[in-house]
Amino acid sequence: MKAIKSYAAQSADKPLAPYQLDRREPLADDVEIKILYCGVCHSDIHTARNEWGGTMYPIVPGHEIVGTVTRVGEKVTRFQVGDTVGVGCFVDSCGHCYNCKDDQEQYCENGHSQTYNSLLQDKKTITYGGYSSHIVVTEKFVLSISDKLPLEKVAPLLCAGITTYSPLKYWNVKAGDKLAVVGLGGLGHMAVKLASSMGAEVTVLSRSHSKQKDATSLGAHHFEITTDKDTMHKLANNFDFIIDTVSAKHDYNDYLPLLRTNGVMIVVGVPPEPSTVQAFHLIGGRRSLVGSLVGGIKETQEMLDYCAEHGITSDVEMISIDQVNEAYERTLAGDVHYRFVIDMATLT
Ligand code: NAP
Ligand code: ZN
C-alpha cells in the first residue's frame, strides 16, 4: 500500500477536503499513473452529494483523468514509464459476459467497476477517483493519449467526450441530420463539437441567451431558448436526434414533440428524480426515447484518436484543487465554460 494525497467528501453535506488515501502497489497487470489533470463532471457532484443514493463515504470523485505512467507491473505490455495515458469512468469489468466480449464493458452484465464509489471485481474493494495524486489501474482500462493535443483539454474527453461520441456513432448521426443538444455544459459542448464535426446540423437548446455566442464558436448552427413557448412550438417536428444532457429535473414531454417521425431522443443526463412520459408523444411519430452510458474502452480509444485527428478538445477553465468546492457551486449555477479541470500539481 502506498499513502497518497487526495480530496474527498466525508458526507453529502460536507465540502471536499484533503484526505490521505491508500492505493495498492501495482500488481502484474497494473499501471500506476501520476495524475496531471482531472476534469470535474456533474456526476462527481451528484455522487459526492449522494443525489443518486448509494454513495460510500469518504468519496474521492474524478473520472476524467490524464497522467503519466510512473510504474508498470511485469505483465504490462502496452505501456511503459513516462507514457501519457488516460483513465475514464471505469477501471475494470468481468471480462467474460456477452457485453464485455463485445467491447461494451460499460454494460458489463456482472457489474463493471466504476472509477470511484464502486467495487473492484473482488466485489469488496472500494474505488477512489482522480482527485488524487496517483491511481493504479489494470492495463486493459488504460487509454493511450496523443501528445499532439493540450492534455488539460483532453481530460474531459474521458467522460464528456465518450459519453456524447458513443451515441452519435451508435445511432449513426451523419451529414445532413438535424440534431439538437439540450443543455450547454460539459457534455453538451462536447456533443456540439463532435456532432458538427460529423456533419450534423446542430441546434443548441439552452435556458437563456447567455451562451448563444459560445454555442456558435463551438460549432452550433442554431441556438434556441427552451423557456420560450413560441420557440418550442416553432421547433415541433424539426429534429432527427435530440441529445439531452440536462442534469436537473425537467420534462421530457417538452422535447419529444420536437422530433420528426422516427426521431430519436437520446438521454445522457441523469437527473436524480424519475420522469413520466406521455405515450402520445412516442406513438405519434414513432419516436424513440433512449439512453446511453459512456462508452467501452475500445470505443473510447477510437474517440481519443478521432479527436486527435480532428483537433477536437474540451473548452476548459483550469482550477486548483482547493477551488473544487467553488467549481461545484458554479457548475450547479450553470456557470461553467465548459468544463472545470483540476491542475493536480496543486495537490500538495
Ligand atoms: P453540466 O456541465 O452541469 O451541464 C448540464 C447542463 O444542463 C447545464 O449547463 C444547463 O445548460 C442544463 N441545465 C441544468 N439545469 C437545468 C434545468 N433545471 N433545466 C434545464 N436545463 C438545465 O453537467 P455535465 O457534466 O455535462 O453532466 C450532465 C448530466 O449528464 C449529469 O446529470 C451527469 O451526471 C450526466 N452524465 C451522464 C453520463 C452518461 O454516461 N450517460 C456521463 C457523464 C455525465 P444550459 O445552461 O444551456 O441550459
Ligand atoms: Zn462524467
Side-chain angles (χ1 to χ4, degrees):
M1 286 289 188
K2 183 173 167 181
I4 62 149
K5 292 190 162 78
S6 75
Y7 252 56
Q10 297 288 345
S11 67
D13 56 358
K14 293 248 164 54
L16 277 77
Y19 177 68
Q20 185 175 305
L21 181 66
D22 288 331
R23 291 280 192 206
R24 68 177 185 266
E25 291 295 322
L27 304 171
D29 295 316
D30 280 342
V31 176
E32 182 194 69
I33 302 159
K34 178 178 164 44
I35 300 175
L36 298 172
Y37 302 108
C38 185
V40 174
C41 177
H42 206 119
S43 301
D44 301 352
I45 306 175
H46 289 308
T47 313
R49 299 188 176 184
N50 199 22
E51 291 171 2
W52 291 330
T55 301
M56 300 176 273
Y57 293 99
I59 176 196
V60 176
H63 58 203
E64 294 183 336
I65 299 165
V66 169
T68 310
V69 175
T70 44
R71 285 195 283 174
V72 292
E74 70 262 20
K75 286 198 192 152
V76 170
T77 56
R78 289 168 45 237
F79 301 103
Q80 50 192 22
V81 172
D83 284 355
T84 304
V85 294
V87 177
C89 297
F90 42 96
V91 290
D92 209 353
S93 70
C94 84
H96 54 75
C97 73
Y98 179 87
N99 289 331
C100 284
K101 285 189 170 155
D102 192 34
D103 294 311
Q104 310 275 336
E105 301 88 353
Q106 74 276 35
Y107 304 123
C108 174
E109 290 167 4
N110 297 306
H112 65 281
S113 304
Q114 299 188 7
T115 304
Y116 60 79
N117 193 48
S118 186
L119 298 178
L120 288 178
Q121 291 300 300
D122 64 5
K123 305 295 178 193
K124 285 194 297 233
T125 310
I126 296 175
T127 57
Y128 298 94
Y131 299 3
S132 55
S133 66
H134 294 76
I135 192 164
V136 178
V137 179
T138 188
E139 175 181 29
K140 189 171 178 289
F141 288 79
V142 177
L143 287 310
S144 292
I145 302 282
S146 159
D147 286 325
K148 274 199 227 158
L149 300 173
L151 298 180
E152 70 280 11
K153 297 183 178 199
V154 168
L157 302 181
L158 274 310
C159 173
I162 184 60
T163 300
T164 48
Y165 179 90
S166 183
L168 291 171
K169 294 301 272 190
Y170 183 80
W171 277 281
N172 188 29
V173 173
K174 55 188 183 314
D177 287 339
K178 291 176 88 175
L179 177 140
V181 175
V182 189
L184 195 61
L187 267 56
H189 93 293
M190 289 313 308
V192 170
K193 289 188 183 208
L194 290 165
S196 60
S197 80
M198 293 169 189
E201 183 181 331
V202 178
T203 301
V204 167
L205 301 178
S206 187
R207 289 168 297 173
S208 76
H209 278 291
S210 65
K211 299 175 181 172
Q212 182 154 9
K213 241 175 131 185
D214 291 350
T216 309
S217 54
L218 290 166
H221 305 90
H222 313 282
F223 187 93
E224 303 285 357
I225 303 301
T226 52
T227 43
D228 183 69
K229 272 213 164 103
D230 290 344
T231 302
M232 295 298 268
H233 193 68
K234 176 190 82 183
L235 292 174
N237 302 306
N238 197 47
F239 300 110
D240 301 293
F241 297 98
I242 297 173
I243 297 195
D244 179 346
T245 75
V246 174
S247 51
K249 189 174 170 59
H250 60 298
D251 192 350
Y252 296 145
N253 301 296
D254 292 341
Y255 302 95
L256 285 166
L258 310 192
L259 290 171
R260 284 173 169 167
T261 305
N262 298 327
V264 181
M265 176 159 162
I266 303 158
V267 172
V268 289
V270 193
E273 304 83 1
S275 300
T276 51
V277 173
Q278 171 55 262
F280 282 114
H281 293 320
L282 298 174
I283 66 168
R286 198 165 49 203
R287 300 178 176 111
S288 305
L289 179 64
V290 301
S292 186
L293 176 69
V294 284
I297 290 296
K298 188 176 170 203
E299 192 172 45
T300 304
Q301 190 64 59
E302 176 190 307
M303 177 276 309
L304 288 166
D305 297 345
Y306 176 89
C307 288
E309 192 188 324
H310 292 82
I312 296 173
T313 54
S314 173
D315 286 22
V316 307
E317 182 173 339
M318 295 300 295
I319 57 167
S320 55
I321 186 79
D322 60 2
Q323 292 175 303
V324 70
N325 294 300
E326 190 192 326
Y328 277 20
E329 294 309 322
R330 284 185 52 196
T331 302
L332 289 167
D335 177 21
V336 47
H337 310 276
Y338 277 86
R339 196 57 137 188
F340 290 109
V341 171
I342 308 165
D343 179 354
M344 296 310 306
T346 61
L347 179 64
T348 53

